[in-house]
Amino acid sequence: MNKTITIAHGNGGAENHELISKIFYRHFHNEILEKSEDAALIEDGRLAFTTDSFTVSPLFFPGGDIGKLAVCGTCNDLAMMGAKPRYLTCSVIIEEGFATSELEKIVRSMQKELEINGAKIVSGDTKVVPRGSVDKLFINTTGIGEIAKPGISAHNLQEGMAIIVSRDVGAHGATIFAAREGIALESTLETDCTSLYPEVKALIDADVEIAAMRDATRGGVAAVLNEWASASEVCIEIEEEKIPVQEQVRGICELLGFEAVSLANEGTFVLAVAEEEASNALDIMKRHHENAEIIGTVTMEHPQKVLLNSSWGTKRFLDLPSGELLPRIC
Ligand code: MG
């Protein structure tokens, strides 16, 4: 381990995993934490419990703001475990001098998103720190959800299952990068940030037998697939040309030298279902976003690895993202 924490330790990829396992898991170890699911299952699996802190810069960006992100992020992690988001806490750390009108705008967008989830903020904390001690505003939300569909887990993947992505990938990371760099794109590009519970509810109501579900936040789809491959000890084979990517996101990726599959999303998820469930699941998902697509299958070709098959017939491993990806995207 490094002697000091680097930006890469927060990337949602390899260094982030190393930090978590070598420091936090080592000291906090218990069987609930070590499951490494999107949310912890507590009270005999009746409740899902999760937390997330938000440090995004800039605070306002096309399609959202830090408030929307703070509710979506936590509620989505609950939804990914098959839970209905119920109660959240909201803790804020505010820099002296921050405009109250901006704070109110952010809180208003949190409330709007809570209503979409049918959840409420029931507790909170407010800290104000001297100018320069924090950059404008950081928010932490913690949430509890009621399990509506038990049994969803990163450990459930089996040979033959289909892998579906809920829409085009990388929009959030690309949007934040463009907003931050002041890239004057004559573009309609905006964050994918959205509450996923309504779509998850539609899948549950249609009796789709969901094996695994995970929102592709930091580290993107590449991180989710690698986490699943290692948790379930399977190989995930992805058809590269099937991965939906917007043209504008592709352009920004070329600029950055990143792959869209490694860019962060805030309202895009990956689903694993049995092959015979895939077309039903895809139909439902396409009603929420037309770009939903079946992108691959689970095999035993190279257990614990993700294989990317190109349209020219070449194969390469898609690794857990590493290095300094974009910091402060969430
Ligand atoms: Mg998640």
Side-chain angles (χ1 to χ4, degrees), residues 270-286:
V270 191
L271 179 76
V273 289
E275 197 187 356
E276 59 273 20
E277 300 262 345
S279 75
N280 184 25
L282 184 65
D283 284 347
I284 295 162
M285 292 165 79
K286 275 196 182 288

Side-chain angles (χ1 to χ4, degrees), residues 19-296:
L19 174 70
I20 293 169
S21 64
K22 289 195 176 159
I23 298 192
F24 294 104
Y25 281 21
R26 186 157 72 88
H27 293 280
F28 291 150
H29 72 97
N30 65 70
E31 61 175 26
I32 300 176
L33 181 66
E34 279 155 13
K35 288 219 165 69
S36 282
E37 301 284 4
D38 262 354
L41 291 182
I42 56 171
E43 296 299 301
D44 301 319
R46 287 182 299 113
L47 300 176
F49 187 35
T50 191
T51 190
D52 212 332
S53 295
F54 298 86
T55 65
V56 68
S57 173
L59 296 177
F60 299 89
F61 43 84
D65 59 45
I66 190 173
K68 181 180 185 183
L69 206 58
V71 172
C72 289
T74 289
C75 288
N76 288 349
D77 276 344
L78 296 172
M80 292 298 103
M81 294 303 289
K84 153 99 187 63
R86 293 293 306 275
Y87 302 105
L88 270 71
T89 65
C90 167
S91 293
V92 295
I93 302 175
I94 312 169
E95 184 185 21
E96 173 191 18
F98 190 65
T100 46
S101 61
E102 292 208 335
L103 183 61
E104 195 168 358
K105 214 169 145 187
I106 288 162
V107 172
R108 220 181 275 134
S109 83
M110 291 181 82
Q111 180 56 28
K112 189 177 160 202
E113 217 53 41
L114 285 160
E115 283 163 18
I116 293 169
N117 284 280
K120 47 180 114 169
I121 300 283
V122 292
S123 184
D125 179 53
T126 313
K127 295 285 186 332
V128 179
V129 295
R131 227 176 274 272
S133 301
V134 70
D135 185 14
K136 299 185 184 75
L137 174 71
F138 289 171
I139 304 178
N140 171 276
T141 53
T142 296
I144 288 187
E146 222 168 332
I147 295 290
K149 169 84 190 161
I152 297 170
S153 168
H155 298 80
N156 283 348
L157 279 81
Q158 282 175 19
E159 194 172 3
M161 282 183 173
I163 303 293
I164 309 176
V165 69
S166 69
R167 54 163 289 169
D168 52 277
V169 306
H172 181 73
T175 300
I176 297 298
F177 176 77
R180 203 181 286 166
E181 301 299 314
I183 295 175
L185 294 160
E186 301 160 36
S187 81
T188 48
L189 179 63
E190 52 174 56
T191 175
D192 62 315
C193 181
T194 200
S195 289
L196 293 172
Y197 176 69
E199 185 167 352
V200 170
K201 184 176 185 297
L203 288 166
I204 294 172
D205 288 349
D207 283 325
V208 172
E209 210 32 71
I210 302 163
M213 196 158 50
R214 187 162 281 196
D215 55 342
T217 53
R218 270 178 311 174
V221 169
V224 172
L225 297 174
N226 274 280
E227 287 159 7
W228 282 359
S230 75
S232 293
E233 298 182 30
V234 292
C235 175
I236 299 177
E237 288 197 51
I238 300 297
E239 304 310 315
E240 197 163 10
E241 84 271 18
K242 290 276 177 71
I243 302 170
V245 185
Q246 285 185 62
E247 239 6 271
Q248 292 157 350
V249 173
R250 248 185 242 288
I252 287 176
C253 282
E254 275 166 30
L255 218 65
L256 281 168
F258 287 157
E259 293 193 78
V261 276
S262 303
L263 280 187
N265 310 275
E266 288 293 341
T268 302
F269 67 100
V270 191
L271 179 76
V273 289
E275 197 187 356
E276 59 273 20
E277 300 262 345
S279 75
N280 184 25
L282 184 65
D283 284 347
I284 295 162
M285 292 165 79
K286 275 196 182 288
R287 272 176 235 153
H288 288 83
H289 206 291
E290 58 185 2
N291 293 346
E293 200 59 69
I294 298 173
I295 58 168

Side-chain angles (χ1 to χ4, degrees), residues 1-28 33 218 320:
M1 254 312 313
N2 277 43
K3 286 237 181 329
T4 55
I5 300 297
T6 67
I7 288 291
H9 283 120
N11 64 6
E15 295 86 348
N16 195 197
H17 283 231
E18 187 193 17
L19 174 70
I20 293 169
S21 64
K22 289 195 176 159
I23 298 192
F24 294 104
Y25 281 21
R26 186 157 72 88
H27 293 280
F28 291 150
L33 181 66
R218 270 178 311 174
L320 198 58

